[in-house]
């Protein structure tokens, strides 16, 4: 059995499970942000209305309404605080970071766990070797909170092997975006996707994070990286909350194996209207932008701010661009401050925002007018994602985002021809 099958077998009390089988399994962690928490609470209080037997199972992070600009949004947070206190749920209030990073940084996600959440990027926790899937709010209210269980259909597995050596200047985010374009959006419907191969094995934990993050765009149910010494070393840095159920697969051949050579990749940009509309930076270079942002579930890492500081060294943000920096967690902001990145990027003309999910859906920042464009490290770019449906959202690496913030247009470096774009 592979990792996903072993986790489902353990959690359902069986010796083994097979693809296509339906199992009822114990859930180790439910994670909610302020929006999903509010909807879940409405269903729970109206239709279930019982004590929650294991409240420590549920974690809520305020990351969308991180500075509520309206009374209505403030009421959502007030309600969530009261609901969390009533049932003893773990709550991280405004300013703690975005949902997924805050949950990991505070030790709530461990290898071998079953993690559920309504956010579509919940499968990113497969980076730690957890089985993480997105469920609807009604499932949270009806089965996970009162019973600590839910049902799963065991998925078939696609193994994505990344081999070769990337060309200088190509980042893991470039490779991840390129993969969505190569595999195709929705092509791995309801599959478990294992990212592996020599390239993935050579990455740090937070660079591996960028691959399971995009599995929802492939149509997959879940995604994971087989735990190894990198996983173990990272887990040892986390607070010791909950069991460490390190699980490894048996290494048998998957139902489908896809192999890619990362030497083929050049810096990429995901263009409107979807993540799969991926093009080399050179094809969209010169497109005017008004906003650039490092943030979102895939951005705001310490690695992103280090890269941006390198690009902006001795340079300034273009006067027509607002360059927004959104730490993924309080820990990242503290680390950036200790390294001098906060002051360096501030003096280069960038603007820091509280640790959160940033301009995701423009609840507190980053709304675009119809004729405006943003380039960012976010995970989504469909029309209306940030303000007007006629605005344009581009996704790229932190290096490309920072270079574009300086140029005032989408800009990067053509690593093959040596020309600037």
């Amino acid at each position: 059995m592979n990792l996903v099958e072993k986790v489902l077998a353990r959690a359902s009390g069986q010796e083994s499970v097979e693809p296509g089988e339906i199992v009822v399994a114990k859930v180790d962690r439910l994670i909610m942000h302020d929006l999903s928490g509010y909807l879940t609470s409405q269903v729970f209080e109206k239709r279930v209305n019982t004590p929650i037997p294991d409240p420590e199972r549920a974690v809520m992070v305020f990351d969308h309404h991180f500075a509520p600009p309206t009374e209505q949004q403030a009421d959502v947070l007030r309600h969530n605080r009261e609901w969390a206190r009533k049932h003893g749920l773990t709550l991280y209030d405004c300013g703690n970071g975005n949902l997924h990073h805050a949950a990991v940084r505070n030790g709530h996600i461990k290898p071998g766990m079953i993690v559920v959440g309504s956010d579509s990027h919940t499968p990113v926790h497969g980076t730690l070797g957890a089985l993480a899937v997105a469920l609807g709010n009604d499932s949270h209210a009806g089965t996970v909170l009162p019973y600590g269980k839910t049902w799963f259909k065991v998925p078939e597995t696609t193994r994505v092997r990344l081999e070769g050596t990337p060309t200088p200047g190509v980042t893991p985010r470039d490779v991840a975006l390129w993969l969505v374009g190569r595999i195709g959006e929705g092509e791995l419907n309801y599959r478990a996707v294992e990212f592996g191969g020599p390239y993935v094995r050579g990455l740090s934990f937070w660079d591996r994070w960028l691959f399971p993050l995009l599995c929802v765009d492939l149509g997959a149910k879940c995604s994971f990286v087989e735990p190894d010494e990198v996983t173990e070393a990272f887990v040892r840095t986390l607070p010791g909350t909950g069991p460490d159920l390190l699980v490894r697969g048996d290494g048998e051949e998957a139902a489908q194996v896809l192999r890619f050579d990362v030497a083929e990749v050049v810096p990429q940009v995901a263009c409107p209207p979807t993540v799969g509309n991926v093009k080399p930076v050179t094809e969209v270079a010169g497109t005017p932008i008004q906003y650039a942002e490092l943030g979102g579930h895939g951005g705001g890492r310490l690695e992103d701010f280090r890269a941006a500081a390198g690009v902006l060294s001795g340079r300034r943000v273009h006067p027509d661009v607002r360059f927004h920096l959104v730490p993924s967690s309080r820990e990242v902001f503290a680390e950036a401050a200790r390294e001098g990145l906060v002051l360096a990027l501030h003096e280069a003309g960038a603007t820091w925002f509280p640790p959160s999910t940033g301009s995701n859906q423009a609840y507190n920042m980053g709304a675009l007018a119809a004729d405006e464009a943003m380039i960012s490290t976010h995970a989504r770019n469909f029309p209306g994602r940030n303000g007007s449906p006629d605005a344009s959202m581009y996704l790229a690496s932190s290096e490309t985002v920072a270079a574009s913030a300086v140029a005032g247009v989408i800009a990067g470096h053509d690593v093959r021809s040596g020309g600037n774009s």
Side-chain angles (χ1 to χ4, degrees), residues 53-101:
D54 297 304
E56 68 279 359
R57 189 190 318 273
V59 175
M60 183 159 44
V61 180
F62 291 175
D63 67 351
H64 282 66
H65 296 317
F66 60 83
T70 68
E71 181 180 1
Q72 180 182 11
Q73 290 172 321
D75 280 341
V76 168
L77 299 191
R78 176 190 55 78
H79 168 87
N80 286 350
R81 292 184 185 106
E82 293 174 353
W83 186 60
R85 281 195 294 268
K86 174 182 177 181
H87 292 285
L89 310 182
T90 301
L91 171 63
Y92 292 93
D93 214 309
C94 304
N96 277 284
N98 76 56
L99 170 63
H100 302 301
H101 287 258

Side-chain angles (χ1 to χ4, degrees), residues 58-417:
V59 175
M60 183 159 44
V61 180
F62 291 175
D63 67 351
H64 282 66
H65 296 317
F66 60 83
T70 68
E71 181 180 1
Q72 180 182 11
Q73 290 172 321
D75 280 341
V76 168
L77 299 191
R78 176 190 55 78
H79 168 87
N80 286 350
R81 292 184 185 106
E82 293 174 353
W83 186 60
R85 281 195 294 268
K86 174 182 177 181
H87 292 285
L89 310 182
T90 301
L91 171 63
Y92 292 93
D93 214 309
C94 304
N96 277 284
N98 76 56
L99 170 63
H100 302 301
H101 287 258
V104 168
R105 289 279 188 167
N106 287 282
H108 296 291
I109 313 296
K110 294 293 179 68
M113 280 186 167
I114 290 185
V115 180
V116 300
S118 60
D119 187 83
S120 61
H121 293 102
T122 299
V124 72
H125 298 289
T127 313
L128 283 87
L131 168 57
V133 300
L135 296 181
N137 298 307
D138 286 8
S139 295
H140 299 163
T143 63
V144 178
L145 286 172
Y147 303 110
K149 297 180 179 181
T150 194
W151 68 271
F152 298 87
K153 180 181 177 180
V154 183
E156 290 213 1
T157 298
T158 293
R159 179 169 294 151
V160 176
R161 284 188 56 85
L162 299 177
E163 302 168 341
T165 301
T167 307
V170 171
T171 73
R173 194 181 304 272
D174 292 315
V175 176
L177 290 173
W178 178 81
L179 269 180
V180 178
R182 283 293 303 272
I183 295 173
E185 293 174 286
E187 289 298 314
L188 301 182
N189 187 41
Y190 211 93
R191 285 182 171 267
V193 181
E194 178 188 350
F195 290 102
Y199 176 73
V200 173
R201 292 292 176 198
L203 296 178
S204 68
F205 174 83
W206 287 115
D207 280 341
R208 293 178 178 187
W209 177 271
L210 302 174
F211 293 90
L213 179 74
L214 294 174
C215 90
V216 63
D217 300 291
L218 300 173
K221 183 64 175 178
C222 59
S223 183
F224 65 97
V225 176
E226 185 75 15
D228 60 7
E229 62 278 2
V230 172
T231 315
E232 294 177 5
F234 178 77
V235 169
R236 285 196 292 270
T237 69
L238 302 176
T241 56
D244 182 357
L245 306 171
L246 188 65
V247 176
R248 289 188 174 90
D250 293 333
E252 78 280 8
E253 196 68 6
Q256 181 184 33
V257 180
L258 303 176
R259 300 176 186 273
F260 299 95
D261 184 353
V262 299
E264 299 177 15
V265 185
V266 297
Q268 303 283 303
V269 175
C271 303
T274 65
V275 178
N277 186 22
V278 182
K279 300 178 181 180
V281 174
T282 51
E283 291 189 17
V284 292
T287 303
I289 60 163
Q290 290 73 44
Y291 289 90
E293 183 176 335
L294 299 183
H297 299 317
R301 308 166 303 155
L302 187 62
E303 292 84 347
D304 296 308
F305 300 130
R306 286 171 175 163
V311 171
L312 268 70
S313 178
R315 308 162 80 185
R316 284 192 59 80
V317 174
H318 192 280
D320 294 336
V321 176
R322 273 68 66 193
F323 190 15
H324 295 165
L325 310 176
V326 188
S328 59
S329 66
R330 295 183 68 85
E331 292 80 5
V332 164
F333 184 71
E335 292 167 0
R338 283 191 289 267
E339 290 190 14
L341 301 175
V342 172
L343 181 59
L345 290 168
H346 170 78
E347 290 183 336
T351 300
W352 289 91
F353 281 78
S356 65
T357 196
S359 68
N360 185 356
Q361 302 176 61
Y363 280 101
N364 290 108
M365 60 175 284
L368 303 176
D371 60 347
E372 292 184 319
M374 173 188 286
I375 186 167
S376 79
T377 55
H378 277 269
R380 287 282 172 77
N381 65 337
F382 54 76
R385 177 70 168 179
N386 285 49
S388 171
D390 295 320
S392 298
M393 280 283 293
Y394 298 87
L395 309 177
S397 70
S398 49
E399 288 85 348
T400 298
V401 171
S404 303
V406 170
V409 297
I410 294 178
H413 182 70
D414 186 337
V415 297
R416 295 206 169 182
S417 69

